[in-house]
């Protein structure tokens, strides 16, 4: 107890935070907890005040807006000394204060939260250790299959990826005290590979003599298998364990392959012990990789899990503009597309960013110098033929209702009924959203076909799904899957 006081409840910040964080995780869910709370840590500042230290200002602002009030409620309910908790980012706090600046009996420390080991003095020293020079340099990075256009300059920032981008830039800068490993996760086609490429290019630019190794999980698997067949596993291990930074893309593909998982686990352990940097990506969070062996899964989850969320409409439009600008520099197109044409293009490709980029490439190829004069009707005609290899198939409201009902194990009549339970209301809103995206029906007409609902109800449903798609991965996946089904 602090100062030897006899109080009810706990007084040790580490133990209080462990208990409070566990309860908070159950309330807000794994995604937000892993992104904003788990990478943070509780400590005492020089004045003896309790603060939660977040890795970035973005995370600090999120905690203040969404979780600080509840965190203090939980903290006050557990703390025998009735202390309150404030939140600051690491840049505001700076280096930990010396032990003499803290009240007697309290050592300056950062608590471990949710299995994430926060930076300590020892960890910072390890991360700052010298990196062995390598003669590989940028040529080795380029030979590893990176795409030169996937840099931070070409990455378009939005609400769903701002936190991931901030962390990626921090890793690429070789900053001290970063979390290890950093694990980017999210739906297919929303920028994880772009971030890993950008980290590799920037890290190599800042430290030309460092050995930066980028591999896809598929390449890791094939190289390891070939090394076993050629009896050259020692050389394979050395090539990875001598890296100053290892970036491994699409880790989910190592699931179910025992010997490969064992080698990856040993590689990660060796690199972490040597203070080297590790960056990984997968389509799910580490805890959701059920095909991965528990020990390896634990290592993957032991750093910072950073979600890359589905893009909202404004971000997709910005990505389309960015891609067209890049194509203009290459002479593929001239001029700028009209705003309504870009919006139509985005609405026609509600899937991943890769699908959107493909649609932009197709539009650029068929429009060329006519891009700036292209109307929505002309773009629709061009894309209908080019993207589907023939006349565009007409999707009806009835077809959308049946497809959505089947997807959610409902009856079509449920979507038209007055029932408002969440299990029916959300699929109904998704169906309305799809109707607006894939048919020419007006809001009043769609409302009439959903049991005679008012047009404002349809408008609310469409906007609700647009709002939720960047925030809730499952809804984004449902919309993408349904879109694929409707397109045949």
């Amino acid at each position: 107890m602090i100062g030897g006081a006899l109080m009810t409840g706990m007084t040790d910040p580490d133990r209080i935070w462990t208990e409070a964080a566990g309860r908070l995780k159950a309330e807000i869910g794994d995604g937000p907890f892993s992104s904003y709370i788990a990478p943070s840590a509780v400590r005492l500042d020089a004045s003896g005040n309790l603060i939660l230290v977040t890795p970035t200002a973005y995370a600090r602002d999120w905690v203040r807006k969404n979780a600080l009030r509840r965190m203090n409620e939980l903290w006050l309910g557990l703390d025998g000394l009735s202390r309150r908790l404030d939140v600051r980012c690491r840049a505001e706090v700076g280096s930990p204060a010396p032990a003499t600046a803290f009240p007697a009996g309290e050592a300056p420390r950062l608590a471990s939260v949710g299995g994430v080991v926060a930076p300590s003095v020892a960890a910072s020293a390890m991360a700052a250790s010298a990196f062995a020079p390598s003669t590989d340099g940028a040529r080795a990075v380029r030979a590893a299959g990176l795409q030169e256009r996937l840099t931070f300059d070409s990455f378009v920032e939005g609400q769903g990826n701002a936190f991931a981008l901030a962390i990626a830039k921090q890793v690429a800068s070789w900053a001290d005290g970063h979390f290890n490993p950093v694990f980017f996760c999210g739906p297919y086609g929303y920028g994880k590979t772009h971030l890993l490429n950008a980290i590799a290019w920037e890290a190599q630019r800042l430290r030309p003599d460092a050995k930066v190794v980028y591999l896809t999980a598929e390449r890791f698997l094939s190289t390891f298998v070939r090394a076993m067949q050629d009896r050259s596993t020692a050389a394979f291990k050395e090539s990875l364990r001598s890296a100053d930074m290892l970036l491994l893309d699409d880790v989910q593909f190592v699931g179910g392959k025992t010997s490969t998982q064992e080698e990856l686990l040993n590689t990660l352990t060796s690199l972490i012990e040597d203070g080297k940097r590790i960056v990984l990506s997968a389509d799910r969070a580490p805890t959701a990789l059920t095909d991965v062996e528990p020990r390896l899964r634990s290592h993957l989850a032991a750093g910072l899990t950073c979600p890359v969320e589905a893009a909202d409409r404004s971000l997709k439009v910005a990505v389309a503009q960015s891609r067209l600008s890049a194509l203009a520099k290459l002479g593929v197109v001239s001029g700028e597309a009209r705003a309504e044409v870009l919006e139509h293009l985005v609405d026609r490709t509600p899937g991943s960013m890769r699908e959107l980029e493909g649609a932009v490439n197709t539009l650029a190829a068929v429009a060329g110098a006519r891009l700036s004069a292209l109307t929505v009707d002309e773009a629709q005609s061009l894309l209908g033929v080019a993207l589907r290899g023939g006349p565009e198939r007409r999707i009806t409201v009835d077809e959308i209702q049946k497809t959505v009902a089947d997807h959610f194990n409902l009856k079509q009549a449920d979507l038209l009924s007055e029932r408002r339970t969440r299990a029916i209301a959300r699929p109904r809103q998704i169906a309305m959203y799809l109707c607006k995206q894939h048919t020419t029906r007006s809001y009043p007409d769609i409302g009439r076909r959903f049991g005679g609902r008012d047009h404002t109800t349809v408008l609310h449903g469409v906007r609700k799904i647009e709002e939720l798609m960047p925030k809730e991965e499952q809804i984004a996946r449902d919309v993408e899957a349904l879109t694929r089904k409707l397109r045949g």
Side-chain angles (χ1 to χ4, degrees):
M1 296 185 184
I2 299 177
L6 180 62
M7 306 292 293
T8 58
M10 294 183 285
T11 59
D12 178 12
D14 285 357
R15 289 192 297 144
I16 296 171
W17 180 233
T18 299
E19 177 69 20
R23 297 184 187 182
L24 187 64
K25 180 179 181 180
E27 293 180 11
I28 68 174
D30 288 343
F33 183 87
S34 296
S35 301
Y36 304 107
I37 308 300
S40 307
V42 173
R43 57 164 284 186
L44 292 171
D45 66 11
S47 301
N49 300 313
L50 286 167
I51 56 172
L52 179 72
V53 182
T54 63
T56 64
Y58 184 86
R60 174 203 62 198
D61 294 342
W62 187 93
V63 170
R64 280 180 178 165
K65 181 180 178 181
N66 300 284
L68 185 58
R69 180 177 177 181
R70 180 54 180 157
M71 285 163 57
N72 267 302
E73 290 175 353
L74 293 168
W75 189 280
L76 290 171
L78 294 166
D79 187 5
L81 298 180
S82 300
R83 296 167 291 186
R84 294 192 67 84
L85 192 64
D86 195 10
V87 59
R88 300 177 203 166
C89 68
R90 189 177 304 146
E92 296 172 319
V93 174
S95 301
T100 54
F102 288 78
E106 288 292 335
R109 62 181 180 274
L110 294 181
S112 175
V113 183
V116 178
V117 181
S120 63
V121 176
S124 297
M126 180 176 68
S129 60
F131 293 91
S134 167
T135 58
D136 292 341
R139 286 180 298 177
V141 175
R142 198 168 286 115
L146 293 176
Q147 300 180 57
E148 294 195 19
R149 68 183 184 86
L150 299 183
T151 65
F152 286 129
D153 288 340
S154 62
F155 190 88
V156 182
E157 181 178 355
Q159 182 178 354
N161 63 29
F163 179 64
L165 178 59
I167 294 299
K169 288 182 175 179
Q170 179 183 342
V171 174
S173 70
W174 302 92
D176 290 345
H178 102 303
F179 299 100
N180 208 21
V182 171
F183 194 104
F184 294 101
C185 60
Y188 169 82
Y190 282 101
K192 300 186 300 299
T193 295
H194 194 145
L195 286 176
L196 263 65
N197 274 252
I199 291 171
W201 288 122
E202 181 67 5
Q204 192 73 75
R205 184 186 71 81
L206 293 175
R207 291 195 174 180
D209 292 331
K211 184 176 181 181
V212 178
V213 177
Y214 169 90
L215 288 171
T216 63
E218 181 181 7
R219 185 171 180 183
F220 178 88
L221 287 167
S222 61
T223 307
F224 178 60
V225 170
R226 187 164 59 249
M228 288 194 297
Q229 293 171 342
D230 297 341
R231 298 184 180 180
S232 59
T233 54
F236 171 79
K237 292 177 181 180
E238 175 60 24
S239 68
L240 294 183
R241 297 180 193 184
S242 62
D244 300 310
M245 179 181 290
L246 173 64
L247 303 104
L248 191 61
D249 206 359
D250 288 327
V251 176
Q252 70 271 11
F253 291 124
V254 304
K257 299 169 179 66
T258 304
S259 59
T260 306
Q261 291 186 59
E262 185 69 26
E263 177 55 33
L264 178 57
L265 175 60
N266 293 335
T267 297
L268 298 183
T269 301
S270 175
L271 289 172
I272 290 173
E273 288 177 351
D274 289 341
K276 307 301 178 66
R277 310 300 174 96
I278 301 170
V279 186
L280 310 126
S281 80
D283 61 355
R284 287 155 283 166
T287 53
L289 298 174
T290 54
D291 290 339
V292 173
E293 191 266 340
R295 287 188 304 150
L296 175 56
R297 194 163 64 236
S298 176
H299 273 68
L300 298 178
L304 170 62
T305 299
C306 190
V308 182
E309 299 173 354
D312 59 17
R313 193 167 184 259
S314 61
L315 177 56
K316 287 188 172 184
V317 171
V319 168
Q321 289 174 327
S322 176
R323 182 57 182 159
L324 282 174
S325 296
L327 292 171
K329 292 178 181 178
L330 296 173
V332 178
V333 293
S334 59
E336 297 182 357
R338 297 178 180 179
E340 59 268 26
V341 170
L342 286 180
E343 291 170 358
H344 174 75
L345 185 69
V346 166
D347 291 341
R348 285 283 301 278
T349 52
S352 73
M353 299 295 248
R354 285 197 180 99
E355 291 179 11
L356 174 61
E357 188 171 281
V360 172
N361 292 340
T362 302
L363 181 65
V366 296
R370 297 182 54 245
L371 179 65
S372 59
L374 208 63
T375 67
V376 171
D377 289 341
E378 289 175 322
Q380 181 172 338
S381 176
L382 290 172
L383 289 172
V385 174
L387 294 181
R388 290 170 178 77
E392 185 175 6
R393 188 176 67 83
R394 183 169 173 265
I395 299 174
T396 66
V397 173
D398 182 69
E399 182 183 0
I400 291 172
Q401 290 174 344
K402 289 178 180 177
T403 303
V404 171
D406 181 65
H407 181 80
F408 289 102
N409 295 316
L410 299 172
K411 297 178 181 178
Q412 186 176 358
D414 292 330
L415 302 179
L416 311 184
S417 70
E418 294 297 322
R419 297 172 61 187
R420 298 182 180 179
T421 61
R422 186 180 182 86
I424 294 176
R426 190 68 79 225
R428 182 187 292 133
Q429 290 175 332
I430 290 175
M432 291 175 175
Y433 170 83
L434 292 170
C435 286
K436 192 58 185 172
Q437 298 299 315
H438 299 288
T439 75
T440 59
R441 302 294 180 183
S442 64
Y443 285 115
D445 194 8
I446 294 173
R448 284 191 293 271
R449 291 167 182 268
F450 278 82
R453 285 176 163 78
D454 187 81
H455 77 280
T456 57
T457 302
V458 180
L459 178 61
H460 170 75
V462 171
R463 288 180 175 174
K464 188 65 176 179
I465 298 305
E466 289 177 342
E467 173 190 337
L468 291 176
M469 283 177 63
K471 300 176 182 178
E472 298 190 17
E473 182 178 321
Q474 187 56 54
I475 288 181
R477 287 182 174 178
D478 286 333
V479 170
E480 183 173 352
L482 286 163
T483 298
R484 292 180 185 278
K485 290 179 182 179
L486 290 168
R487 289 177 175 175

